[in-house]
Amino acid sequence: MSRIDYSVWDHIEVSDDEDDTHPNIDTPSLFRWRHQARVERMEEFQKKGTELNKGLSDCRRKLADVQKKLQELKVSGSGDSNPELSKVQSEEKKLKKEERDWEKKVDEYNREEKKMPWNVDTLSKDGFSKSIVNVKPDPSEETEEQKEQKHKTFVEKYEKEIKHFGMLRRWDDSQKYLSDNPHLVCEETANYLVIMCIDLEVEEKHALMEQVAHQTIVMQFILELAKSLKVDPRGCFRQFFAKIKTADQQYQDAFNDELESFKERVRGRAKIRIEKAMKEYEEEERQKRMGPGGLDPVEVYESLPLEMQKCFDDKDIQMLQDVISKMDPTEAKTHMKRCIDSGLWVPNSKTDDGEEKDEEATYEEVKPEQEETKKE
């Protein structure tokens, strides 16, 4: 029986993404944007090759026309002294130089193309055509609601198995576990592992995050391979393990580079999540401490003159009365109103007769000396 040739796997690029469109999943496909970027680079490179070949073809066509014209002049018996003949010979010499320059550029392009790493878009699509479960065509695109429900149902059913796979370390163990649980080879598992990595990083379980990240990249390699071959992922995961277990240093480096890149993105996402949670917590605390007038006591306190801040620090009403007596009445009244609205100052809300005081009466509570000064 012939042995499958895995040489095209010697260096593979795998894409990843950070798309926030899915409501429950931090990223339904963490790998899409890098795949798109790689496709764009490939298209740009191919465009360059097309332009180079076109330039070479145009140059050769012009050279052929000039050489034909030169032959006609020679056949007509024109001497070397003929000005037109000299002009055509000079043009031929110039075009031959241009042809060599174009050929050199095309050769450099071809050498560069050979050095480019293989990726899932350039892998052979015939190598695994046997013993593969064919993908059933999807009659319609899933809506976001359907994707969300599908993910939720899958996780509810297989969460324990997914977590177990995420904790595995050895290639053989991973392959055997997927052989026993082929239903786990799917996008839903990859998505859950991504979320699991971010959760672990937020919880500062860094070593565990790195382990699950490794299994996430394993799953993504399999999914990317299946996508390129247009087959069910369950039909090609064994080929992945067969290659990775016997990979040369170059292939291992490619896998490790993708893994390190993914871990950095997980750390970045975890940092954003922590910062967002802190902002939400701070806003909740701010709402809790809002005064009766809807002002934040912390913000109001920081806006007060230093002399008034010291009064509140020392909880000294007499000091507060002294400070207010020296201030402009309008400014003092504004500060006191803000203190009341924020809850920094809680006036006696009722008189001896049980009737509510108005705001002006409240202001009077803290400025008797000021009023006495005015009378004098």
Side-chain angles (χ1 to χ4, degrees):
M1 188 171 74
S2 62
R3 180 180 178 84
I4 298 175
D5 180 13
Y6 293 101
S7 61
V8 295
W9 274 50
D10 286 340
H11 192 184
I12 296 180
E13 292 181 320
V14 176
S15 59
D16 63 358
D17 173 51
E18 201 172 64
D19 184 16
D20 298 319
T21 58
H22 199 285
N24 281 350
I25 307 174
D26 286 82
T27 166
S29 178
L30 189 65
F31 306 83
R32 189 178 305 139
W33 75 270
R34 288 190 66 195
H35 176 267
Q36 180 62 32
R38 187 182 66 235
V39 170
E40 290 175 357
R41 291 198 304 271
M42 289 171 57
E43 290 176 349
E44 186 67 26
F45 185 77
Q46 291 171 355
K47 181 180 179 183
K48 177 183 176 182
T50 301
E51 291 175 351
L52 289 175
N53 283 296
K54 183 178 182 299
L56 178 59
S57 298
D58 290 344
C59 181
R60 286 174 173 173
R61 177 178 54 77
K62 291 177 183 178
L63 179 59
D65 291 341
V66 168
Q67 288 176 335
K68 180 180 178 182
K69 187 176 182 180
L70 181 63
Q71 187 65 26
E72 291 173 352
L73 288 173
K74 288 182 178 180
V75 172
S76 66
S78 300
D80 294 339
S81 60
N82 189 319
E84 185 177 1
L85 179 61
S86 298
K87 181 180 178 181
V88 174
Q89 287 176 333
S90 176
E91 188 174 355
E92 180 193 28
K93 183 178 179 181
K94 178 182 177 182
L95 287 171
K96 282 184 176 180
K97 183 178 182 304
E98 287 185 8
E99 182 185 29
R100 290 193 297 271
D101 290 341
W102 280 112
E103 288 175 343
K104 182 179 179 181
K105 291 179 180 178
V106 171
D107 288 342
E108 290 175 353
Y109 173 85
N110 291 334
R111 285 195 296 271
E112 186 178 351
E113 184 179 32
K114 289 180 180 179
K115 293 178 181 179
M116 290 181 68
W118 287 97
N119 57 60
V120 294
D121 296 310
T122 56
L123 285 171
S124 169
K125 296 187 178 181
D126 296 326
F128 306 117
S129 59
K130 296 181 180 180
S131 302
I132 289 177
V133 180
N134 292 326
V135 174
K136 294 182 180 180
D138 188 2
S140 62
E141 287 291 332
E142 291 181 320
T143 64
E144 287 301 316
E145 291 76 13
Q146 289 173 329
K147 290 179 181 179
E148 178 184 352
Q149 186 57 45
K150 182 180 179 182
H151 175 82
K152 182 179 179 181
T153 302
F154 185 86
V155 170
E156 288 176 351
K157 189 174 182 179
Y158 299 115
E159 184 175 17
K160 184 178 178 180
E161 289 89 337
I162 299 173
K163 287 183 175 180
H164 182 85
F165 174 76
M167 301 299 174
L168 297 176
R169 293 179 177 273
R170 299 175 63 248
W171 298 118
D172 290 337
D173 293 339
S174 295
Q175 180 177 351
K176 184 179 185 306
Y177 194 74
L178 292 181
S179 298
D180 296 337
N181 301 275
H183 52 276
L184 296 181
V185 188
C186 62
E187 191 75 22
E188 285 71 33
T189 295
N191 288 335
Y192 186 87
L193 290 174
V194 170
I195 300 173
M196 189 175 172
C197 287
I198 298 174
D199 288 342
L200 290 170
E201 185 64 18
V202 169
E203 296 169 7
E204 299 186 352
K205 298 177 180 178
H206 308 302
L208 198 54
M209 179 280 286
E210 293 188 358
Q211 173 55 38
V212 178
H214 179 276
Q215 296 301 88
T216 306
I217 296 301
V218 167
M219 184 59 64
Q220 193 60 37
F221 257 71
I222 296 170
L223 294 176
E224 289 275 345
L225 175 62
K227 189 186 299 182
S228 71
L229 301 176
K230 296 183 179 180
V231 299
D232 191 300
R234 292 170 295 179
C236 64
F237 72 86
R238 291 180 179 83
Q239 284 85 345
F240 164 75
F241 287 109
K243 177 58 181 177
I244 197 67
K245 287 189 289 186
T246 58
D248 56 23
Q249 190 59 44
Q250 185 182 30
Y251 183 76
Q252 286 286 358
D253 290 344
F255 182 91
N256 292 334
D257 287 345
E258 291 299 333
L259 176 58
E260 291 304 316
S261 176
F262 174 72
K263 287 190 289 190
E264 283 302 312
R265 292 171 66 78
V266 166
R267 294 184 186 105
R269 175 54 63 87
K271 182 179 178 181
I272 292 173
R273 184 188 286 184
I274 292 172
E275 290 174 351
K276 181 180 179 181
M278 288 299 296
K279 288 180 180 179
E280 291 176 352
Y281 173 77
E282 290 172 359
E283 181 59 26
E284 288 177 1
E285 291 299 306
R286 181 175 178 275
Q287 291 299 326
K288 288 179 182 178
R289 64 176 181 252
M290 282 295 186
L295 296 184
D296 182 356
V298 174
E299 294 177 1
V300 171
Y301 172 83
E302 292 176 350
S303 70
L304 294 175
L306 294 177
E307 296 83 356
M308 289 188 71
Q309 289 184 9
K310 183 170 175 43
C311 297
F312 284 101
D313 291 341
D314 297 343
K315 299 180 182 180
D316 191 327
I317 296 178
Q318 182 60 50
M319 185 189 300
L320 180 60
Q321 292 174 340
D322 293 341
V323 170
I324 287 179
S325 67
K326 299 175 185 177
M327 296 176 65
D328 177 76
T330 302
E331 181 184 359
K333 189 177 294 185
T334 299
H335 282 309
M336 287 307 302
K337 182 180 185 306
R338 286 172 54 79
C339 289
I340 293 168
D341 289 343
S342 66
L344 273 177
W345 174 264
V346 182
N348 294 326
S349 59
K350 293 185 179 182
T351 64
D352 296 336
D353 299 329
E355 296 179 355
E356 292 188 358
K357 292 184 178 181
D358 58 18
E359 182 184 302
E360 193 71 24
T362 301
Y363 174 64
E364 296 291 332
E365 293 179 353
V366 293
K367 65 174 191 64
E369 289 84 352
Q370 186 176 18
E371 288 300 305
E372 291 174 4
T373 302
K374 286 183 179 178
K375 290 177 182 179
E376 292 175 0

